[in-house]
Amino acid sequence: MKINKTSQFPSCTVSVVMPVFNAAKTLKRAVESVRLQDWEDWELLLVEDGSTDGSAEICETLSTRYARVDVIRQLGNTGAAAARNTGIRAARGRYLAFLDADDEWLPDKLSRQLAFMRAQGAVFSYTGFWRQRGRQCHQVRVPGCVTRQALLKGNVIGCLTAIYDRKYFGTVEMPPLRLRQDFALWLDLLARCDRAYGLNQPLAVHHVRAASLSAPRGRAMQATWQLYHQYLGLSGLQSAWYMSNHLLRRLRRG
C-alpha cells in the first residue's frame, strides 16, 4: 500500500476508476452509466489491461468522443489491483470511486452519495445495489455504518458503490492481491477512520457473469484466508474465526 498525501484537487470532484479487460460487450453500458450521472463534475479513467476482444479500440473511441473520459493502457494483463492502482495514481479528483466495466450506476448515484457523505460528515461511504443474474434481480441491502472490526467478519461494501475522500486519507492504493484487493483496501481505510457510512439505497447494478457463477468457490475462500492470515498477519486461530463468520454471512445471503 502506498500513500501520497494530496492537498488540492482542482480538476474535478470525483475520479472514477474503471479497469477494462475483455469487456467489449458491456463497456459502453458501463461508461454510459457514468456519463448519465446528474452530478456532472467527474472524470472517468479507463485502464485498459491488455484486452484481446476489441475493448482497447472501444476505449480509444470513447476517450476521443467524450472529454471527461480518459484511457490509460497497461503493458499486458496486470490484473484488477494493478489496473485500479494505475487509475488511482492518475486520478485528479478529491473523491475516488470504482466501477467495473461489466457493471453500471443509476443516474443519481454520485449526487445522492455525495450529499449523504456531506450530511454524515463521512470520509468513506458505500451504498446498496442490485445484483442481476440473468433475468433475476435481487436488492443487496447494507448496514448504516460499519467499523473495521465488524467488516473483518465479512465484506458488506460493494466495490461498485465505494467512495473515499482523498483530502482525508491521501491517495491509498489497493494491496497487490489477485483477489479480495478491494476488501483489503476497505480494511486499510477503516484503520484510519472510525467507520464507513452506508446509504441503504440501491444506486448501482452488479451484473453477475456466467463465468463468475461457475468459478470455483475454493479459490475465493483461499484468497479470503490469505487476506486474513498473510496480508493482515492474523494468527491461524483468528483467521479461522473470521473465516467462519465470513462463511456464515455468505450462507445467509444465499
PDB file of all heavy atoms in Angstrom, residues 2-24:
ATOM      1  N   LYS A   2       0.541   2.197  -0.872  1.00  0.00           N
ATOM      2  CA  LYS A   2       1.278   3.453  -0.929  1.00  0.00           C
ATOM      3  C   LYS A   2       0.332   4.596  -0.613  1.00  0.00           C
ATOM      4  O   LYS A   2      -0.815   4.600  -1.037  1.00  0.00           O
ATOM      5  CB  LYS A   2       1.889   3.648  -2.322  1.00  0.00           C
ATOM      6  CG  LYS A   2       2.854   2.552  -2.735  1.00  0.00           C
ATOM      7  CD  LYS A   2       3.358   2.792  -4.136  1.00  0.00           C
ATOM      8  CE  LYS A   2       4.296   1.681  -4.575  1.00  0.00           C
ATOM      9  NZ  LYS A   2       4.752   1.851  -5.962  1.00  0.00           N
ATOM     10  N   ILE A   3       0.809   5.570   0.136  1.00  0.00           N
ATOM     11  CA  ILE A   3       0.004   6.743   0.466  1.00  0.00           C
ATOM     12  C   ILE A   3       0.759   7.990   0.042  1.00  0.00           C
ATOM     13  O   ILE A   3       1.924   8.173   0.398  1.00  0.00           O
ATOM     14  CB  ILE A   3      -0.309   6.818   1.975  1.00  0.00           C
ATOM     15  CG1 ILE A   3      -1.115   5.577   2.395  1.00  0.00           C
ATOM     16  CG2 ILE A   3      -1.075   8.081   2.313  1.00  0.00           C
ATOM     17  CD1 ILE A   3      -1.443   5.540   3.861  1.00  0.00           C
ATOM     18  N   ASN A   4       0.102   8.829  -0.711  1.00  0.00           N
ATOM     19  CA  ASN A   4       0.705  10.066  -1.182  1.00  0.00           C
ATOM     20  C   ASN A   4      -0.276  11.189  -0.901  1.00  0.00           C
ATOM     21  O   ASN A   4      -1.259  11.364  -1.607  1.00  0.00           O
ATOM     22  CB  ASN A   4       1.009   9.980  -2.687  1.00  0.00           C
ATOM     23  CG  ASN A   4       1.534  11.289  -3.242  1.00  0.00           C
ATOM     24  OD1 ASN A   4       2.171  12.041  -2.516  1.00  0.00           O
ATOM     25  ND2 ASN A   4       1.262  11.548  -4.514  1.00  0.00           N
ATOM     26  N   LYS A   5      -0.033  11.945   0.148  1.00  0.00           N
ATOM     27  CA  LYS A   5      -0.965  12.995   0.538  1.00  0.00           C
ATOM     28  C   LYS A   5      -1.091  14.055  -0.553  1.00  0.00           C
ATOM     29  O   LYS A   5      -0.099  14.511  -1.122  1.00  0.00           O
ATOM     30  CB  LYS A   5      -0.499  13.666   1.839  1.00  0.00           C
ATOM     31  CG  LYS A   5      -0.701  12.787   3.073  1.00  0.00           C
ATOM     32  CD  LYS A   5      -2.176  12.654   3.402  1.00  0.00           C
ATOM     33  CE  LYS A   5      -2.387  11.835   4.665  1.00  0.00           C
ATOM     34  NZ  LYS A   5      -3.796  11.680   5.009  1.00  0.00           N
ATOM     35  N   THR A   6      -2.337  14.404  -0.862  1.00  0.00           N
ATOM     36  CA  THR A   6      -2.635  15.396  -1.898  1.00  0.00           C
ATOM     37  C   THR A   6      -3.385  16.539  -1.255  1.00  0.00           C
ATOM     38  O   THR A   6      -4.378  16.324  -0.577  1.00  0.00           O
ATOM     39  CB  THR A   6      -3.478  14.781  -3.023  1.00  0.00           C
ATOM     40  OG1 THR A   6      -2.805  13.596  -3.483  1.00  0.00           O
ATOM     41  CG2 THR A   6      -3.647  15.731  -4.175  1.00  0.00           C
ATOM     42  N   SER A   7      -2.950  17.769  -1.459  1.00  0.00           N
ATOM     43  CA  SER A   7      -3.535  18.901  -0.749  1.00  0.00           C
ATOM     44  C   SER A   7      -4.606  19.617  -1.549  1.00  0.00           C
ATOM     45  O   SER A   7      -5.488  20.243  -0.985  1.00  0.00           O
ATOM     46  CB  SER A   7      -2.435  19.902  -0.367  1.00  0.00           C
ATOM     47  OG  SER A   7      -1.756  20.352  -1.529  1.00  0.00           O
ATOM     48  N   GLN A   8      -4.546  19.552  -2.870  1.00  0.00           N
ATOM     49  CA  GLN A   8      -5.513  20.283  -3.686  1.00  0.00           C
ATOM     50  C   GLN A   8      -6.027  19.398  -4.807  1.00  0.00           C
ATOM     51  O   GLN A   8      -5.302  18.557  -5.339  1.00  0.00           O
ATOM     52  CB  GLN A   8      -4.876  21.541  -4.281  1.00  0.00           C
ATOM     53  CG  GLN A   8      -4.517  22.586  -3.229  1.00  0.00           C
ATOM     54  CD  GLN A   8      -3.960  23.838  -3.871  1.00  0.00           C
ATOM     55  OE1 GLN A   8      -3.522  23.833  -5.014  1.00  0.00           O
ATOM     56  NE2 GLN A   8      -3.975  24.917  -3.131  1.00  0.00           N
ATOM     57  N   PHE A   9      -7.278  19.591  -5.186  1.00  0.00           N
ATOM     58  CA  PHE A   9      -7.905  18.800  -6.232  1.00  0.00           C
ATOM     59  C   PHE A   9      -8.640  19.747  -7.176  1.00  0.00           C
ATOM     60  O   PHE A   9      -9.848  19.870  -7.131  1.00  0.00           O
ATOM     61  CB  PHE A   9      -8.871  17.790  -5.618  1.00  0.00           C
ATOM     62  CG  PHE A   9      -8.220  16.940  -4.556  1.00  0.00           C
ATOM     63  CD1 PHE A   9      -8.301  17.286  -3.227  1.00  0.00           C
ATOM     64  CD2 PHE A   9      -7.507  15.807  -4.916  1.00  0.00           C
ATOM     65  CE1 PHE A   9      -7.697  16.512  -2.258  1.00  0.00           C
ATOM     66  CE2 PHE A   9      -6.894  15.026  -3.954  1.00  0.00           C
ATOM     67  CZ  PHE A   9      -6.986  15.378  -2.618  1.00  0.00           C
ATOM     68  N   PRO A  10      -7.902  20.441  -8.050  1.00  0.00           N
ATOM     69  CA  PRO A  10      -8.518  21.488  -8.863  1.00  0.00           C
ATOM     70  C   PRO A  10      -9.313  20.988 -10.057  1.00  0.00           C
ATOM     71  O   PRO A  10     -10.094  21.732 -10.633  1.00  0.00           O
ATOM     72  CB  PRO A  10      -7.311  22.295  -9.335  1.00  0.00           C
ATOM     73  CG  PRO A  10      -6.206  21.290  -9.402  1.00  0.00           C
ATOM     74  CD  PRO A  10      -6.460  20.340  -8.263  1.00  0.00           C
ATOM     75  N   SER A  11      -9.114  19.729 -10.481  1.00  0.00           N
ATOM     76  CA  SER A  11      -9.645  19.310 -11.767  1.00  0.00           C
ATOM     77  C   SER A  11     -11.102  18.899 -11.737  1.00  0.00           C
ATOM     78  O   SER A  11     -11.877  19.229 -12.628  1.00  0.00           O
ATOM     79  CB  SER A  11      -8.799  18.155 -12.327  1.00  0.00           C
ATOM     80  OG  SER A  11      -7.471  18.581 -12.496  1.00  0.00           O
ATOM     81  N   CYS A  12     -11.523  18.125 -10.732  1.00  0.00           N
ATOM     82  CA  CYS A  12     -12.884  17.633 -10.673  1.00  0.00           C
ATOM     83  C   CYS A  12     -13.166  17.145  -9.261  1.00  0.00           C
ATOM     84  O   CYS A  12     -12.254  16.990  -8.447  1.00  0.00           O
ATOM     85  CB  CYS A  12     -13.111  16.507 -11.677  1.00  0.00           C
ATOM     86  SG  CYS A  12     -12.019  15.097 -11.418  1.00  0.00           S
ATOM     87  N   THR A  13     -14.426  16.890  -8.973  1.00  0.00           N
ATOM     88  CA  THR A  13     -14.797  16.407  -7.647  1.00  0.00           C
ATOM     89  C   THR A  13     -14.545  14.916  -7.500  1.00  0.00           C
ATOM     90  O   THR A  13     -13.997  14.458  -6.500  1.00  0.00           O
ATOM     91  CB  THR A  13     -16.281  16.696  -7.371  1.00  0.00           C
ATOM     92  OG1 THR A  13     -16.525  18.095  -7.530  1.00  0.00           O
ATOM     93  CG2 THR A  13     -16.667  16.289  -5.959  1.00  0.00           C
ATOM     94  N   VAL A  14     -14.945  14.133  -8.503  1.00  0.00           N
ATOM     95  CA  VAL A  14     -14.892  12.673  -8.399  1.00  0.00           C
ATOM     96  C   VAL A  14     -14.080  12.080  -9.545  1.00  0.00           C
ATOM     97  O   VAL A  14     -14.306  12.401 -10.711  1.00  0.00           O
ATOM     98  CB  VAL A  14     -16.310  12.061  -8.432  1.00  0.00           C
ATOM     99  CG1 VAL A  14     -16.234  10.540  -8.249  1.00  0.00           C
ATOM    100  CG2 VAL A  14     -17.197  12.679  -7.364  1.00  0.00           C
ATOM    101  N   SER A  15     -13.141  11.204  -9.201  1.00  0.00           N
ATOM    102  CA  SER A  15     -12.433  10.394 -10.187  1.00  0.00           C
ATOM    103  C   SER A  15     -12.987   8.981 -10.116  1.00  0.00           C
ATOM    104  O   SER A  15     -13.006   8.370  -9.047  1.00  0.00           O
ATOM    105  CB  SER A  15     -10.931  10.370  -9.906  1.00  0.00           C
ATOM    106  OG  SER A  15     -10.355  11.638 -10.107  1.00  0.00           O
ATOM    107  N   VAL A  16     -13.440   8.480 -11.247  1.00  0.00           N
ATOM    108  CA  VAL A  16     -13.993   7.130 -11.336  1.00  0.00           C
ATOM    109  C   VAL A  16     -12.973   6.242 -12.036  1.00  0.00           C
ATOM    110  O   VAL A  16     -12.574   6.518 -13.167  1.00  0.00           O
ATOM    111  CB  VAL A  16     -15.321   7.121 -12.129  1.00  0.00           C
ATOM    112  CG1 VAL A  16     -15.952   5.731 -12.088  1.00  0.00           C
ATOM    113  CG2 VAL A  16     -16.276   8.177 -11.590  1.00  0.00           C
ATOM    114  N   VAL A  17     -12.544   5.182 -11.353  1.00  0.00           N
ATOM    115  CA  VAL A  17     -11.535   4.269 -11.891  1.00  0.00           C
ATOM    116  C   VAL A  17     -12.232   3.007 -12.391  1.00  0.00           C
ATOM    117  O   VAL A  17     -12.942   2.340 -11.636  1.00  0.00           O
ATOM    118  CB  VAL A  17     -10.484   3.927 -10.827  1.00  0.00           C
ATOM    119  CG1 VAL A  17      -9.510   2.874 -11.360  1.00  0.00           C
ATOM    120  CG2 VAL A  17      -9.736   5.178 -10.381  1.00  0.00           C
ATOM    121  N   MET A  18     -12.006   2.681 -13.686  1.00  0.00           N
ATOM    122  CA  MET A  18     -12.635   1.510 -14.293  1.00  0.00           C
ATOM    123  C   MET A  18     -11.575   0.648 -14.990  1.00  0.00           C
ATOM    124  O   MET A  18     -11.082   0.999 -16.058  1.00  0.00           O
ATOM    125  CB  MET A  18     -13.692   1.932 -15.315  1.00  0.00           C
ATOM    126  CG  MET A  18     -14.435   0.762 -15.956  1.00  0.00           C
ATOM    127  SD  MET A  18     -15.643   1.279 -17.210  1.00  0.00           S
ATOM    128  CE  MET A  18     -16.814   2.220 -16.231  1.00  0.00           C
ATOM    129  N   PRO A  19     -11.190  -0.497 -14.394  1.00  0.00           N
ATOM    130  CA  PRO A  19     -10.313  -1.421 -15.102  1.00  0.00           C
ATOM    131  C   PRO A  19     -11.070  -2.098 -16.237  1.00  0.00           C
ATOM    132  O   PRO A  19     -12.253  -2.433 -16.086  1.00  0.00           O
ATOM    133  CB  PRO A  19      -9.914  -2.425 -14.018  1.00  0.00           C
ATOM    134  CG  PRO A  19     -11.037  -2.390 -13.041  1.00  0.00           C
ATOM    135  CD  PRO A  19     -11.595  -0.995 -13.069  1.00  0.00           C
ATOM    136  N   VAL A  20     -10.402  -2.303 -17.354  1.00  0.00           N
ATOM    137  CA  VAL A  20     -11.060  -2.880 -18.530  1.00  0.00           C
ATOM    138  C   VAL A  20     -10.224  -4.055 -19.035  1.00  0.00           C
ATOM    139  O   VAL A  20      -9.067  -3.892 -19.418  1.00  0.00           O
ATOM    140  CB  VAL A  20     -11.210  -1.846 -19.660  1.00  0.00           C
ATOM    141  CG1 VAL A  20     -11.875  -2.483 -20.877  1.00  0.00           C
ATOM    142  CG2 VAL A  20     -12.002  -0.633 -19.180  1.00  0.00           C
ATOM    143  N   PHE A  21     -10.843  -5.252 -19.031  1.00  0.00           N
ATOM    144  CA  PHE A  21     -10.195  -6.419 -19.617  1.00  0.00           C
ATOM    145  C   PHE A  21     -11.245  -7.274 -20.304  1.00  0.00           C
ATOM    146  O   PHE A  21     -12.154  -7.810 -19.666  1.00  0.00           O
ATOM    147  CB  PHE A  21      -9.457  -7.244 -18.563  1.00  0.00           C
ATOM    148  CG  PHE A  21      -8.834  -8.496 -19.125  1.00  0.00           C
ATOM    149  CD1 PHE A  21      -7.762  -8.417 -20.009  1.00  0.00           C
ATOM    150  CD2 PHE A  21      -9.336  -9.739 -18.796  1.00  0.00           C
ATOM    151  CE1 PHE A  21      -7.195  -9.569 -20.550  1.00  0.00           C
ATOM    152  CE2 PHE A  21      -8.778 -10.893 -19.324  1.00  0.00           C
ATOM    153  CZ  PHE A  21      -7.702 -10.810 -20.207  1.00  0.00           C
ATOM    154  N   ASN A  22     -11.153  -7.363 -21.625  1.00  0.00           N
ATOM    155  CA  ASN A  22     -12.081  -8.165 -22.433  1.00  0.00           C
ATOM    156  C   ASN A  22     -13.542  -7.897 -22.052  1.00  0.00           C
ATOM    157  O   ASN A  22     -14.306  -8.815 -21.738  1.00  0.00           O
ATOM    158  CB  ASN A  22     -11.754  -9.650 -22.295  1.00  0.00           C
ATOM    159  CG  ASN A  22     -10.478 -10.022 -23.036  1.00  0.00           C
ATOM    160  OD1 ASN A  22      -9.928  -9.228 -23.799  1.00  0.00           O
ATOM    161  ND2 ASN A  22      -9.989 -11.232 -22.814  1.00  0.00           N
ATOM    162  N   ALA A  23     -13.905  -6.635 -22.100  1.00  0.00           N
ATOM    163  CA  ALA A  23     -15.251  -6.206 -21.703  1.00  0.00           C
ATOM    164  C   ALA A  23     -15.991  -5.546 -22.861  1.00  0.00           C
ATOM    165  O   ALA A  23     -16.842  -4.669 -22.638  1.00  0.00           O
ATOM    166  CB  ALA A  23     -15.160  -5.239 -20.524  1.00  0.00           C
ATOM    167  N   ALA A  24     -15.707  -5.969 -24.089  1.00  0.00           N
ATOM    168  CA  ALA A  24     -16.286  -5.304 -25.264  1.00  0.00           C
ATOM    169  C   ALA A  24     -17.810  -5.313 -25.248  1.00  0.00           C
ATOM    170  O   ALA A  24     -18.443  -4.368 -25.726  1.00  0.00           O
ATOM    171  CB  ALA A  24     -15.768  -5.970 -26.536  1.00  0.00           C
TER     172      ALA A  24
END
